[in-house]
Amino acid sequence: MKSQTLCQWKGFSVEQSDHRLPDGRDITFTTVRHPGAVVIAPLTDKGELVLLRQYRPAIGRWILEFPAGTLEKGEAIQACAQRELAEEANLAAAHWQSLGELLPVPGFCDEVQHLFLAKGLTPAEGELDTDEVLEVLTMSVETFLGKIADNEIQDAKTLAVFLKMQVLGVLKQP
């Protein structure tokens, strides 16, 4: 089946391809190709969550979210998580636990987000990307839940990782 790149930007591309659906029909479909990403839920020794208050130009406002970032070409997944935690939160973690994967927008994008819990946090040197403006915040699970209820936390990947943490029993409930 034929495929054509319509647009290429940094590590992302938009491709149009012919596909045969499971019912036998042939269609032309456009997909955003993404190299994958990591999402890190840092948890302090006191059981508090580390979040970012980050300005997102695409929506023109600040949001609360867990540290996250895009895989660089050839980069190992956990190495990316370690790099992003240092870059964005100035933290390193002694203990890493995989929380699985998330498919954020499978209707048009092939991105896979690899989810991690990071514990045993210590200060680390990091440098933000040129387009990043953010503040690092620490909050209790109770405060986090209140911010969800008040619609102050809207970021889907952050909500999904928090749910995974709850389901897996890695959080102390208020």
Side-chain angles (χ1 to χ4, degrees):
M1 300 244 169
K2 73 174 187 175
S3 180
Q4 175 185 6
T5 300
L6 302 176
C7 177
Q8 179 73 45
W9 181 77
K10 291 188 178 181
F12 308 93
S13 66
V14 178
E15 293 182 10
Q16 192 171 56
S17 303
D18 294 335
H19 287 274
R20 176 157 287 143
L21 297 176
D23 65 4
R25 289 181 292 140
D26 291 327
I27 64 166
T28 300
F29 195 81
T30 303
T31 304
V32 175
R33 300 287 179 200
H34 189 287
V38 295
V39 184
I40 307 107
L43 188 64
T44 70
D45 292 340
K46 295 179 183 177
E48 294 177 317
L49 300 165
V50 178
L51 285 104
L52 306 176
R53 181 176 176 268
Q54 185 163 358
Y55 183 78
R56 291 295 190 177
I59 57 172
R61 61 188 170 110
W62 294 86
I63 65 170
L64 291 171
E65 63 184 316
F66 284 132
T70 302
L71 285 159
E72 294 179 357
K73 189 172 184 163
E75 185 175 32
I77 294 167
Q78 188 162 331
C80 178
Q82 292 166 333
R83 176 180 56 77
E84 288 292 342
L85 185 61
E87 283 180 6
E88 295 187 341
N90 290 317
L91 292 171
H95 308 288
W96 291 86
Q97 178 182 341
S98 173
L99 299 175
E101 295 176 349
L102 182 64
L103 302 173
V105 284
F108 64 86
C109 183
D110 67 355
E111 178 183 7
V112 176
Q113 294 177 344
H114 305 274
L115 315 178
F116 290 94
L117 172 66
K119 295 168 59 176
L121 305 176
T122 56
E125 286 290 320
E127 188 173 325
L128 294 175
D129 291 338
T130 57
D131 63 346
E132 291 179 316
V133 178
L134 58 85
E135 302 169 32
V136 179
L137 307 171
T138 304
M139 65 182 68
S140 68
V141 171
E142 186 173 22
T143 299
F144 187 93
L145 288 168
K147 290 188 180 299
I148 293 172
D150 292 340
N151 208 34
E152 293 179 47
I153 296 178
Q154 298 177 318
D155 179 61
K157 68 186 178 301
T158 298
L159 293 169
V161 171
F162 183 77
L163 176 61
K164 291 278 280 207
M165 293 169 69
Q166 285 187 312
V167 168
L168 294 173
V170 298
L171 286 176
K172 295 178 186 169
Q173 298 302 314

